[in-house]
Every structure is written in structure tokens, then in C-alpha cells.
Amino acid sequence: MTPPRLLFRRLRFVWVFLLGLVGLDVALRLNHKTWERHSPDGYTERVEGCAAERRDVVFVGGSPVAEGINPALIGGVNWRGERLTNHYAVGLSGGTTSDVYFATLHACPKPPRVLVYGITASDLNDSRHEPHGANSLLTLADLADWQRTRPEAAEWVTRHFWQARLSEVWAAYRYRHGVKLWAASLCPQCCPVTAEEADRQRTIGEQVASQRGYAPTRWFDRSYEQMKAGGWEQPPFEYLARYRTGSHLKYLHRLIDWAEANNVTVVLIDMPTTADLERRHPAEFAEFRQRLAEVVAVRGVPVLRATRETVGLTDQHFADLIHPNPAGAAVLSGWLKAELERIGNETSRVVRGAAP
Amino acid sequence: MIFAGREFFLFLPIVLLVYHLLPRRAARYGWLTLASWVFYAWASPGYLWVILLLTGIDWWAGRRIAANDDTRLRKRWLLLSIVSNLGLLAVFKYAAFVTDNALSLAKVFGVTADRTWELLLPLGISFHTFQGISYTVDVYRRQIPAVRSLLDYALFVAFFPQMAAGPIVRAVEFLPQMTTPPKVTAKQIEDGLRLFVGGLFKKLFIADQLHALFVGPVFENPAAYDAAVLRWAAVAWAVQIYCDFSGYTDVAIGVAKWFGFELPANFHLPYLANSITDFWRRWHLSLSTWLRDYLYFPLGGSRCGPVRAYLNLLLVFVLCGLWHGAAWHWLVYGLYNGVLMVVHRQYDQLTASANWRRSWWWAVLAHAGTLYQLVVGLVLIRMTSWAGGGLMFGALVGLSHDPAGEAAFRGVPVLVFPLLLLGVAGHLWALVPKGEWLRERLAPVGGLGYAAAVGLLVCFGPGATQSFIYIAF
């Protein structure tokens, strides 16, 4: 048996190496804000940004909300005779209704007056498993809730949840992307491609902070109409593949339960898409709208059908099959403001009429 | 499975832990062999039969060769082993190449047909077939006894650290270490750690970055770049392939040490070579010595007169080229090296007694000239088309358009230069006088440097998507 002192001396290099790793870990954790600033997590940034203060109106949804609703253009909406000014958009790119539910819980510790959920057919597609929500949104309690509510996706969410937690154990691994982008921004000519990515990420972070969650994707500043005219054809829309509903839908009911319990008015918007997408997936959209109609019938939640014609959108307002471009976002946000005021006035009359 | 893959970082600790917890020799070797087969079958389990079949044939052939005194019978068993190994290697590696060329030739005679099948290359087949052949030949030559235990032989062939891309381990080097499970010493743990981290750093931080940042894009479309950029890309490729392959070997040797095994070195500062002959004594040593002992010497070596010796050299290098890959450019690469070897041998004999060969300026010139030959040759194995290769050669020999006053570094990402320096840091360190003395003084804090290297490769490595170059051979 080798005495411990001798073993320590013999393995001095290994101990120093391990000490170095620990030192590195501590140094990276102490500077975590720098790395997070250079590689913002879109979900976390928006959820934390929204939770920072009490909001009047919170817009939630997947990427159509992230790209299509600009809270700055809806500010000052007249709601039951009161001007609501503090808006925030929690648009989760790639998010499903399950993700939206958990994002809402964490983004609204102080419940808002109005919660607007811009929902679309892909949000309810049970064939979709998007890891970002499991990685960024869920707490241990949320995980247990998900396992109970959606047992068919329990294994999947558990695996991704714990993978994400494990990857946070080692700071070098956790912050590797942020460190790389930070270094690239220090010396842009060293690695131009990474420096460009660093610039893009920094812009997103700044926009999320300054534009109340609205940070349109840079390459979505284009026109679907022009792209089509140029011969571009969008590849198959995988988010509606193998369409089936029921499991994510449970979380739509849970969201409405939460809103009722917290005296929050929920408004659902059936988000606009291009005519091409609806032509490609008529059965999927029919099933989606059937489900929405059932929710309205059972829960009495108002649904705004944001059709292209109603809102005034054409293919030139879209960046692809489903995402509005900044011009489309402006049109949609203007329409939404007017619609919210209309609903506010109607419900106000109902409330006034019902009052003794 | 590859060393830099995520699954390997789960696989390795489990295999190591269980191996050292198992008390008995048979259990340990059984576990290690099983783990090695899992490693082998990870990507394509359908090919496990290849290594199992060859293991069985070579082990049995070795036993029969050792048990027989009749030379004719011994030769038959040896032939069975060689034909089995080379036969499977030929089918998997060269069948598509031969078929494609036959079909191209048939087109000349008006017969049009396309190859409709595809064969994946089983992991490490170029390496473990050579190990199998060396074993049965050594038994035939009575240089080693035949292995009694099939399990021991299976572990020798499949030992996962070196199975995918070498070094090609000889039975005489490995089997004596297996008599009793070797105990791991503190020095082996330390050296293994240095090699493991250093190898991954070479691969992930230097080779993969050079590929992603510079070498890949330039070789993909050389027409889009200036001659100066093409020259730098050729140099960067030389550093990339060295860091990729020597990085793999370092990891292999390091991991083997953690199991208590010593594998032979595969590199010895190859870019410090002062001739092409010297280079092949420093680069992929286990292959060059294998070709010398099992091909060049049996062909007669240099004992049958100069003409025959030169032909033997040419043949060995052409086959060496083809061993790397079944393609015409590999054949040309082998031929290029063979011709250089012949020319150098002739030159060596003619000028052996010249005094100027011992001067410092000649040493510098010899280093520079050798490096130039190597860089030119390496373009052959990286070019994506003959036209692209032609542009690279034009730049390297000064034939390409080179605008007057063109900046020597314009168009080269700044990060490439520190990466190149890091890639040859080991070579430069060897040139530093008192390098060993410094190394000893730095040893206490050396661990911090390796920890920093881990941080760098985790944060700045482009990930594990880029496979090791030599695994494809």
C-alpha cells in the first residue's frame, strides 16, 4: 500500500491538473454574465425580462409571435377605459403550447391584466418534441408536472431536462458558446464568421432588452412574395408533419385555468399564415381550428381569427410560409391593438351591464 | 465510436473503472475485449463479423503453423491467414475502385453501366488486417510463439485504443505485456493524462480549427484565392494532418497507458526531417516499419542489386499510397514518394563523403527542401479535384498568377498563424537548447497548462463532428 503522501507526490501533476480545472470553473462562473450576454438564451432572456416587473399585457406563443408581434406598436391600448402601456412579448422560437404554459408561469410571477396567446396549428402538434423548453424553462417541479400531464412524453422530457442540468455542472461546457463569441468579438478579424455570429447574438440580446422581447430574426427581413417570384420554394413544413392533437392541448386548458385563478383575461389569436401553408396542410389546419372551437365552447375564451384578409396581409408581409417579416409584424400589431381595444370595450360593456 | 465523440467520454470511464475493479486476469481481458468489440461495432454493428472472423482465422492459423514442422503445411496456413486478411481488405476497400475503373474502361468500348452498390469500410480494417498478418508471419518465422488463448489474441487484435487508426502494434510488442494484467504506475497515469489531453488538443483545437477556418474552404475552391493564400493553405494542411493523426495516436497511447499497456510511438517530430528518407523514419512509424519488415525485405530489399532495390522501393511506396485510400491520387502520392526515395538514395550514395553535407547551411537547406517536398506531396491527398490540385501546385512552384506587391498574408485569417505555431510547437520545443531542463523546471505547474488546454478545446473546439482523417484509411 502506497502511503498517501508518496501517492500525492507521485501524482502531483494530476492533482495540479485537477486544481487547474476547478480554478477554471470558478473563474468562468464568476464571469457568467459576460458569457451570457454574448450568447443569450432567447427563452431565458424573454422570460426573465418579462418577469422583471408587473406587465399590463403579455403576448406569448411560438416563433410567429416572436417575429410577428411588436409590443412597442401596441402600447397605450385602451382596455376597459384604461390605457395599458406596459407590454411584453414572450415569443419562443420553436415553442409548443406546453412550452408556452411553463414560460407564462415563470414570466408572469405578478399576473398581467391581459394574456394574449398567438397560437398556430404547429403549437398543438403532439408529434413535435422541442428540446429548448425542457432545457431552459423547466424547474424540477415543472418536470414532475409535465411527467404527470403528458406521460407519453415523460421519457423524452426527463432525458432532455437532465442532459441540460448535467451540461451546467461544468462551467467550461455550459458557457463554451458565450466564451467563443466573446473572444470573437474581441478580435473580429481572427474569425470573421464567428465574429458575425457574435454581433448577431449581441444584437438579439440588446433588442430583447430594449424592445420588450421583440427581436426579429435578421434574415427574416425579406419578402416571401419576392422569394417566390425568384423561384424559391419553401421545403416541406416539418412542424406539421404527422399531425395529431390532444397532449399539448392539455396545457392550453391549464393556461386558461391559471389565468382564471389569477384574474387574467386570456385572448387567443389564431395567427395568420400564408395561403400556401394552408393549401399544403388543409387537414391539419381543420383539426387545429376544430380544437380551438372546442376550447372556446367549453371555456368561453375569446378567439381572434387573424386571417390574412382581415388583418390586411399578403405574401409580401411574410418572410416564409409562417413567419411575418418586420413589415408584416407592423401591420399585424396595428390590427391587434385595434382588436384588443374592441374586446376591452365589449367586455367592459358586459361587465358594466352585469353590475348591480 | 471516435475518441472525440461524446459517447466516448461515457464509454472510457466505465470501461476503465470496471477493468480495474475486476480481480482476475481472464475477467479483465474478457471485459476489455468485449468493450473493444462494442467500440468497433458502435457505428456499424453489421460488420462485427469481419473482426471476429479474422481473429478466429489468424489465431487458428497461428496455432497450426506453430504445431507443424512441415514447411509446406506451415506455408499453407500462413497463406490462408494472408489471403483472408488481404482478401477482405481488398473487397471492402478496393472493390468499388476497381469496378469504377473497369466500368470507365468499358465505356470506351461502348458498354455503359453504373455501379449500383456501395460498401462501407469496416472500422480499422486497414490496421487490424496488418496486425493479423504480422502475427502469423512472426509465428511462421518462429520469432514469437503462437498464442494459446483465443481471448488473448482477440484482445491483441481488437484493443480499442489503437484499433481504429493504429499504431499498428506487433504481436511481439503487445503479447508479452499480457502475461499478467499490467499494473498501472503513477507515471503511466501522468503520461497518459498528458497524451490524452495533448492529443485531443491537437485534434480539436488545432486540426479541426484549421480545417474549419481555412484549409477546408480553400481546398474546396482554390480558384477563388490568391497564390499566397493557396501556399499558406498547403502549409496549414500539412500542420492539420499532422495534428489530426498524431493527436489520435497520442490519445491511443495515453488511453492504453491507463490500462497499463505500452503502445509503440508512431511519430518522431516528422517535420524536422532533413530528407524524405528521414521523414519516413519519423512519420507513421508503425506503418513504415511494417512495410519494411513484411514487404520490402521479403521482396529482396536492397540485397539484389541497385535496380531491383529501387523497383522494390517504388513498389512499396505505391502500395503504401494505395493502403491509405483506393483512388488514383493516392497511387500518385505513393509514386511521388517512391521516386523521391529513389532519388534521395542515389544522391545519398553519391555525396556521402562530401564535407559540405556536414555544414550548418546545408542542414538548414536540407530541412527546408524536405519540408517543401512534403508540402507539395500532401496537396495530392487533400485536393478535391485534379484541376484544383493543379492550381495548388502552380502556386507552390511559382507558376500561378502572383500580382506584384501582393501581401504575403492577405486573405489568411489571423487565427491561422497562432494555430500553425501551436501545431508545430512540439517541433520548436525540441529545437530549444536546454528544452529538457526547462521541462523539468516547469513540471510542477505543467498540470495547470493542461487544464487550460482542456478549457480552450472545450470552448474553442468546433466540436466532435470532424472525424479523424486516418480512420477513413
Side-chain angles (χ1 to χ4, degrees):
Chain A
M1 190 78 181
T2 316
R5 261 187 76 177
L6 191 60
L7 193 68
F8 182 83
R9 275 193 60 184
R10 280 185 187 167
L11 291 174
R12 191 173 50 180
F13 175 87
V14 179
W15 300 128
V16 174
F17 171 75
L18 293 174
L19 197 69
L21 285 184
V22 172
L24 184 71
D25 200 81
V26 170
L28 287 172
R29 279 182 204 281
L30 287 175
N31 293 288
H32 69 99
K33 284 193 174 146
T34 305
W35 326 128
E36 284 165 356
R37 196 169 57 245
H38 283 84
S39 176
D41 174 335
Y43 281 30
T44 312
E45 293 278 313
R46 287 182 172 94
V47 166
E48 287 180 357
C50 184
E53 54 189 283
R54 182 187 288 279
R55 305 288 175 181
D56 294 330
V57 184
V58 173
F59 304 94
V60 293
S63 54
V65 169
E67 301 297 332
I69 294 183
N70 182 350
L73 301 178
I74 310 174
V77 67
N78 220 328
W79 181 263
R80 295 176 185 168
E82 195 184 331
R83 289 184 80 77
L84 302 183
T85 53
N86 195 348
H87 301 351
Y88 202 94
V90 184
L92 310 170
S93 294
T96 58
T97 301
S98 304
D99 298 322
V100 167
Y101 169 74
F102 289 108
T104 307
L105 290 196
H106 298 299
C108 305
K110 294 168 187 164
R113 299 281 298 279
V114 185
L115 181 75
V116 181
Y117 180 6
I119 191 168
T120 191
S122 53
D123 290 20
L124 292 181
N125 185 1
D126 291 341
S127 296
R128 283 183 67 203
H129 292 299
E130 303 294 344
H132 209 133
N135 290 347
S136 303
L137 292 174
L138 303 191
T139 62
L140 207 54
D142 297 338
L143 174 69
D145 184 299
W146 183 305
Q147 288 167 336
R148 278 195 306 273
T149 311
R150 302 188 58 214
E152 68 282 358
E155 183 277 327
W156 177 88
V157 75
T158 307
R159 181 158 42 86
H160 280 273
F161 177 84
W162 286 113
Q163 270 178 8
R165 299 293 86 75
L166 275 177
S167 74
E168 288 169 2
V169 169
W170 190 19
Y173 189 77
R174 178 180 184 177
Y175 299 118
R176 66 194 187 285
H177 198 228
V179 173
K180 185 190 252 185
L181 296 184
W182 166 79
S185 64
L186 290 183
C187 175
Q189 67 273 30
C190 292
C191 188
V193 179
T194 314
E196 198 181 314
E197 166 73 4
D199 179 48
R200 194 163 51 240
Q201 292 293 333
R202 199 176 50 246
T203 307
I204 289 173
E206 287 167 2
Q207 284 180 333
V208 166
S210 65
Q211 299 183 164
R212 298 168 182 245
Y214 177 61
T217 308
R218 204 177 275 183
W219 58 82
F220 277 178
D221 194 359
R222 63 189 188 191
S223 156
Y224 180 57
E225 189 176 50
Q226 281 177 8
M227 292 172 72
K228 271 206 309 186
W232 182 76
E233 194 180 338
Q234 174 114 359
F237 192 72
E238 294 295 331
Y239 297 102
L240 290 176
R242 301 174 302 284
Y243 196 73
R244 56 195 169 85
T245 55
S247 183
H248 285 306
L249 189 66
K250 293 176 191 168
Y251 274 117
L252 182 55
H253 287 282
R254 295 281 302 276
L255 188 72
I256 297 167
D257 292 343
W258 173 85
E260 283 174 0
N262 290 283
N263 205 19
V264 176
T265 304
V266 176
V267 177
L268 299 178
I269 314 171
D270 178 354
M271 290 294 278
T273 67
T274 56
D276 288 347
L277 185 64
E278 296 203 32
R279 256 197 303 273
R280 282 193 198 185
H281 297 278
E284 288 82 352
F285 276 97
E287 182 175 342
F288 161 65
R289 293 203 171 111
Q290 173 66 30
R291 293 296 197 177
L292 273 194
E294 287 164 10
V295 171
V296 172
V298 175
R299 310 300 300 262
V301 174
V303 177
L304 300 175
R305 179 85 199 277
T307 61
R308 290 175 299 279
E309 296 75 19
T310 320
V311 179
L313 297 173
T314 64
D315 279 352
Q316 74 176 29
H317 295 106
F318 285 89
D320 58 11
L321 283 170
I322 195 165
H323 298 107
N325 57 25
V331 174
L332 179 61
S333 302
W335 173 85
L336 184 54
K337 183 178 181 182
E339 283 299 303
L340 284 177
E341 289 187 344
R342 184 182 61 77
I343 294 175
N345 288 335
E346 280 176 8
T347 50
S348 165
R349 275 197 297 274
V350 172
V351 172
R352 275 191 211 126
Chain B
M1 198 185 297
I2 58 169
F3 288 161
R6 270 187 203 177
E7 60 276 10
F8 182 72
F9 292 100
L10 271 179
F11 171 85
L12 180 63
I14 294 169
V15 176
L16 266 172
L17 191 70
V18 175
Y19 176 82
H20 288 293
L21 286 176
L22 289 170
R24 294 164 56 145
R25 179 186 186 279
R28 280 185 168 197
Y29 288 168
W31 166 249
L32 200 46
T33 309
L34 188 70
S36 297
W37 285 338
V38 169
F39 183 90
Y40 179 91
W42 194 263
S44 47
Y47 281 158
L48 187 60
W49 66 268
V50 175
I51 200 165
L52 296 180
L53 179 71
L54 289 179
T55 300
I57 290 175
D58 292 335
W59 174 75
W60 183 246
R63 300 272 295 155
R64 299 314 307 153
I65 292 168
N68 271 296
D69 288 325
D70 182 346
T71 312
R72 236 176 28 171
L73 275 175
R74 285 162 54 79
K75 265 190 182 157
R76 275 187 197 166
W77 284 110
L78 177 64
L79 204 63
L80 172 74
S81 161
I82 292 173
V83 169
S84 307
N85 283 287
L86 294 184
L88 277 176
L89 183 62
V91 167
F92 282 110
K93 199 162 177 175
Y94 303 104
F97 175 64
V98 172
T99 310
D100 287 344
N101 283 288
L103 291 173
S104 299
L105 195 65
K107 268 186 193 151
V108 176
F109 299 102
V111 181
T112 312
D114 287 320
R115 178 163 59 87
T116 52
W117 48 269
E118 195 70 53
L119 276 178
L120 283 176
L121 196 65
L123 183 70
I125 190 166
S126 306
F127 295 88
H128 70 73
T129 48
F130 273 34
Q131 280 191 200
I133 292 172
S134 76
Y135 165 73
T136 44
V137 171
D138 286 351
V139 173
Y140 178 80
R141 288 172 176 170
R142 298 198 191 285
Q143 288 173 346
I144 53 167
V147 181
R148 295 168 70 92
S149 156
L150 177 59
L151 179 66
D152 284 8
Y153 183 74
L155 178 56
F156 158 65
V157 175
F159 186 47
F160 77 87
Q162 46 78 222
M163 177 235 292
I168 301 167
V169 185
R170 311 270 188 93
V172 71
E173 292 163 330
F174 195 81
L175 292 173
Q177 297 184 57
M178 293 181 67
T179 318
T180 53
K183 280 193 176 160
V184 182
T185 63
K187 181 156 175 29
Q188 278 179 314
I189 295 173
E190 179 182 326
D191 289 349
L193 187 61
R194 281 181 203 276
L195 286 163
F196 186 77
V197 174
L200 287 179
F201 186 77
K202 277 185 193 174
K203 162 68 182 163
L204 295 176
F205 190 77
I206 303 172
D208 283 2
Q209 290 278 18
L210 281 174
H211 169 81
L213 205 59
F214 188 47
V215 178
V218 174
F219 272 88
E220 212 52 51
N221 185 16
Y225 297 90
D226 291 340
V229 176
L230 299 186
R231 283 193 283 272
W232 277 112
V235 172
W237 162 237
V239 174
Q240 185 201 332
I241 193 171
Y242 166 70
C243 288
D244 191 289
F245 190 23
S246 74
Y248 179 94
T249 307
D250 288 350
V251 174
I253 297 173
V255 171
K257 280 178 189 287
W258 289 339
F259 290 99
F261 290 101
E262 294 292 338
L263 300 182
N266 223 10
F267 292 90
H268 182 58
L269 306 171
Y271 292 146
L272 290 185
N274 56 19
S275 69
I276 192 76
T277 311
D278 189 23
F279 173 75
W280 283 104
R281 288 184 193 130
R282 293 164 174 267
W283 178 277
H284 203 176
L285 290 167
S286 61
L287 176 68
S288 45
T289 52
W290 193 99
L291 290 170
R292 182 196 65 197
D293 294 346
Y294 299 102
L295 188 60
Y296 181 67
F297 287 162
L299 285 170
S302 51
R303 287 166 298 164
C304 313
V307 176
R308 177 74 185 273
Y310 292 150
L311 283 176
N312 288 343
L313 260 183
L314 275 177
L315 180 66
V316 165
F317 273 92
V318 166
L319 290 175
C320 173
L322 282 176
W323 174 88
H324 285 83
W328 287 105
H329 62 95
W330 275 113
L331 189 143
V332 175
Y333 177 70
L335 194 63
Y336 171 81
N337 277 280
V339 170
L340 286 181
M341 288 289 289
V342 168
V343 171
H344 179 257
R345 187 171 282 193
Q346 189 64 34
Y347 150 84
D348 210 26
Q349 285 169 359
L350 290 174
T351 61
S353 54
N355 280 334
W356 48 264
R357 281 193 61 176
R358 281 170 279 282
S359 62
W360 67 267
W361 59 268
W362 184 251
V364 172
L365 210 62
H367 277 304
T370 306
L371 264 181
Y372 181 73
Q373 292 167 19
L374 295 174
V375 169
V376 169
L378 286 171
V379 168
L380 275 167
I381 59 173
R382 182 61 181 82
M383 62 190 193
T384 49
S385 68
W386 289 100
L391 284 173
M392 302 291 292
F393 288 122
L396 285 170
V397 299
L399 290 176
S400 294
H401 171 62
D402 215 348
E406 180 191 312
F409 307 115
R410 194 181 62 192
V412 183
V414 180
L415 200 58
V416 167
F417 298 106
L419 287 173
L420 292 180
L421 275 176
L422 270 176
V424 293
H427 290 65
L428 299 175
W429 182 255
L431 292 175
V432 176
K434 305 272 185 195
E436 278 307 312
W437 180 85
L438 263 177
R439 191 198 298 268
E440 278 173 27
R441 294 296 173 282
L442 289 176
V445 291
L448 292 180
Y450 279 81
V454 169
L456 282 173
L457 68 89
V458 169
C459 291
F460 297 104
T465 47
Q466 206 61 36
S467 181
F468 286 92
I469 294 169
Y470 264 68
I471 283 182
F473 299 158

